[in-house]
Amino acid sequence: MAHKPLESVNEAHIKAKRLLPKDVYDALEAGSDSGATMSGNLAAFTQIGMIPRVGVALPAQLDLAATFMGQQIEMPVVVSPAAAFAMHPDGEVGVARAAERAGTAIGLSNVASVGIEEVTKANSRSFAQLYWSGDRDVIAARVERCRKAGVKGLILTIDLSATRVAYNPRDWGSPVYPDGINLATLVKYAPMAASHPTWFLRYVKQRTLPGLNAPNMGTVGGPVPTLVGGLMEWLGTAVPTWDDVAWLAGLWGGPLMVKGIVAADDARRAVDAGATAISVSNHGGNNLDTTPSPLRFLPSVVSAVGDQVEVVYDSGVRRGTDVLKALALGASTVMIGRPWFYALAADGERGVYEVLESFRGTIERGLVSLGKSSIRDVTIDDLVLPDGFLIDTDLRHTRTTARQGV
C-alpha cells in the first residue's frame, strides 16, 4: 500500500492517539490542573480573524525565510525542546533529521532521551535547552558540554511552575514515570505493550526499548541519570533569579533565549540580564492553570523590548495561519511542541518532516489569501482582534530586527 503523508497536525494527533498507550498519550496531551491554560492557548488563535485580500499580483516563489537566534531557517517554524520518551524509537535524533531536511532548527530538551552530541550531528542548527538544575558548577559543566557539542545557542526555561511540571496535579490524574527499565517495570507494563502492538513492534524492529534515561543531565563519560533522577535534581534546585540569568549569559557568551515570559516587565528584565532572545510562552499549558494564552501578551512584550532581542512565540500553534497571526503580532518566529510529538508518534522521522511541510504549505496558502509575498509583510492590519489583547503601543509598523534582517 502506498504511503499517505500526514497533511495536518490534527491528522497526526488522531493517529498518535490511536497508536500510543494511554499513559504515554496522557503524558504528552494534558495540561496542568484543569487544563484551562492549554485549552485557552488553542482558543486564542481561533478568536483572531484574518482579512483576505484579492486581486494582488504575487511571485511564484513566496518568501518564508527567517532567522532564529542568528541562524538562517527556511520557514519561521522551529522545533521546541521537549523530551520524546516512548513516542517512537526514532526519538529526538529522528526529529532533528526531519527538521534539518525541512530547513529549520531544533531545540533539544535538557531531559531528552538522547545526548546533545547525537543531535548536533543530525541537525546543523541545534540548540540546547537548560533547566536550572544543580549548583552553578554543575550547570557550568553542562554549558561546556553544549559548547563542545557545537550547539548554536542555549534556551533557558525559566518559568517557575514549569519546573514542577512533572509533578503538577491534574484533575484527571497525573502520569507516573518509572525510574528506569528493569524486570519489574517490564512486567508491570507488559499489558500496555500487548494492547498496542504497533507501538511496541516499532521498538522490537529496532531492537530497543523506550528510553527512560536523561543523558544530558549527566556528565560525558559519567553515569547516565534516569529521567526520574534528573527530574528530582531539578525539583530540588532553587528557582533561578535574574542574577543567575546574567551569570549564565556571561558564562555562555553566545545566543541565549529566556523561555517562559509573558509579562512585559519580565521581558525587560531578561534583556537587562543579557538574553538575546525571548520566548513568549506558558509551557504549552503545563504551567500555572488559568494563565491566559501568551498570544494575548505577545504585543505588549514586543512593545516592551522593541528591536533589542528576538521575540519568539510558543504555545498552542497548530497550523500555518497560527504562525502568521503570531508574526503579525510581532514575533520573529514560532516554536512548536505537541505538533512534532503527534507527528513522531504517528510515523517517526517521516511524520515529523511531513507535519513541518504541512506548516510550510499552510503558511504559503495563508500568504496568498492575505495578498502577501513575504512573511515580513504580514502585520496587525491583517487581523481582527478581540478584546483582551495587551497592545499598549501602535504595532502596525513595528517589526523586530530579526525579521527585517532576513
Side-chain angles (χ1 to χ4, degrees):
M1 181 182 296
H3 170 69
K4 181 182 181 301
L6 296 171
E7 296 182 347
S8 68
V9 172
N10 187 60
E11 186 177 339
H13 186 185
I14 292 170
K15 188 172 181 181
K17 185 176 182 179
R18 185 177 73 248
L19 291 174
L20 289 176
K22 183 179 184 302
D23 285 359
V24 178
Y25 176 78
D26 285 351
L28 76 91
E29 175 60 10
S32 61
D33 297 324
S34 71
T37 298
M38 178 181 171
S39 299
N41 289 346
L42 300 174
F45 282 105
T46 65
Q47 292 163 3
I48 296 177
M50 304 187 82
I51 306 171
R53 310 285 183 177
V54 297
V56 180
L58 296 174
Q61 186 68 40
L62 301 175
D63 180 14
L64 273 63
T67 60
F68 178 79
M69 296 179 70
Q71 296 296 306
Q72 295 288 324
I73 53 178
E74 294 178 13
M75 61 176 170
V77 180
V78 173
V79 172
S80 186
F85 289 98
M87 296 294 135
H88 190 283
D90 285 354
E92 293 91 348
V93 173
V95 178
R97 288 194 296 256
E100 178 76 5
R101 184 180 170 195
T104 193
I106 178 174
L108 183 71
S109 171
N110 205 165
V111 292
S113 61
V114 299
I116 184 64
E117 296 82 3
E118 296 181 63
V119 169
T120 55
K121 290 177 182 177
N123 189 297
S124 59
R125 307 173 188 90
S126 296
F127 294 79
Q129 181 211 31
L130 287 178
Y131 287 120
W132 194 260
S133 179
D135 61 26
R136 284 190 176 186
D137 288 342
V138 169
I139 294 168
R142 290 183 182 134
V143 169
E144 185 60 25
R145 177 178 177 181
C146 291
R147 197 188 308 276
K148 289 180 178 178
V151 304
K152 303 302 183 182
L154 298 180
I155 300 172
L156 175 65
T157 300
I158 195 173
D159 37 338
L160 170 62
S161 55
T163 61
R164 308 302 195 259
V165 64
Y167 295 91
N168 270 358
R170 294 173 174 174
D171 289 1
W172 45 86
S174 301
V176 176
Y177 299 99
D179 191 10
I181 296 290
N182 52 39
L183 181 59
T185 302
L186 292 174
V187 171
K188 180 179 179 179
Y189 289 97
M192 176 190 294
S195 61
H196 294 81
T198 300
W199 169 80
F200 179 63
L201 287 174
R202 286 172 169 171
Y203 287 93
V204 172
K205 289 178 180 178
Q206 294 199 22
R207 298 182 180 181
T208 187
L209 290 170
L212 288 172
N213 290 329
N216 297 301
M217 297 293 283
T219 57
V220 176
V224 178
T226 63
L227 170 62
V228 172
L231 291 174
M232 292 306 294
E233 178 193 89
W234 182 20
L235 295 172
T237 304
V239 296
T241 66
W242 292 114
D243 286 341
D244 292 321
V245 177
W247 170 81
L248 179 63
L251 176 70
W252 171 243
L256 173 66
M257 173 185 287
V258 175
K259 184 176 184 294
I261 299 290
V262 293
D265 55 350
D266 280 344
R268 286 188 287 265
R269 291 186 183 101
V271 173
D272 291 342
T276 63
I278 290 170
S279 171
V280 182
S281 167
N282 62 22
H283 219 83
N286 282 304
N287 205 320
L288 177 64
D289 195 30
T290 70
T291 298
S293 166
L295 196 64
R296 297 182 180 275
F297 297 92
L298 176 59
S300 63
V301 170
V302 172
S303 295
V305 301
D307 61 1
Q308 297 176 82
V309 295
E310 291 182 36
V311 178
V312 178
Y313 181 79
D314 162 14
S315 292
V317 177
R318 295 294 185 270
R319 53 193 59 83
T321 49
D322 296 344
V323 176
L324 292 175
K325 290 172 184 179
L327 297 184
L329 291 173
S332 58
T333 53
V334 305
M335 294 197 292
I336 58 170
R338 286 187 178 89
W340 73 255
F341 264 138
Y342 300 147
L344 181 67
D347 201 13
E349 176 184 336
R350 179 169 63 181
V352 175
Y353 173 74
E354 290 169 355
V355 162
L356 286 171
E357 288 301 300
S358 80
F359 273 100
R360 191 193 309 273
T362 51
I363 291 170
E364 290 177 341
R365 286 195 293 275
L367 285 176
V368 171
S369 296
L370 293 171
K372 310 289 185 179
S373 62
S374 168
I375 58 170
R376 282 168 294 287
D377 297 335
V378 182
T379 73
I380 200 170
D381 287 335
D382 297 303
L383 306 181
V384 178
L385 294 174
D387 293 337
F389 279 74
L390 303 182
I391 301 177
D392 53 15
T393 63
D394 188 0
L395 289 176
R396 283 172 169 76
H397 304 292
T398 298
R399 318 306 298 157
T400 65
T401 298
R403 275 204 277 162
Q404 287 176 334
V406 175

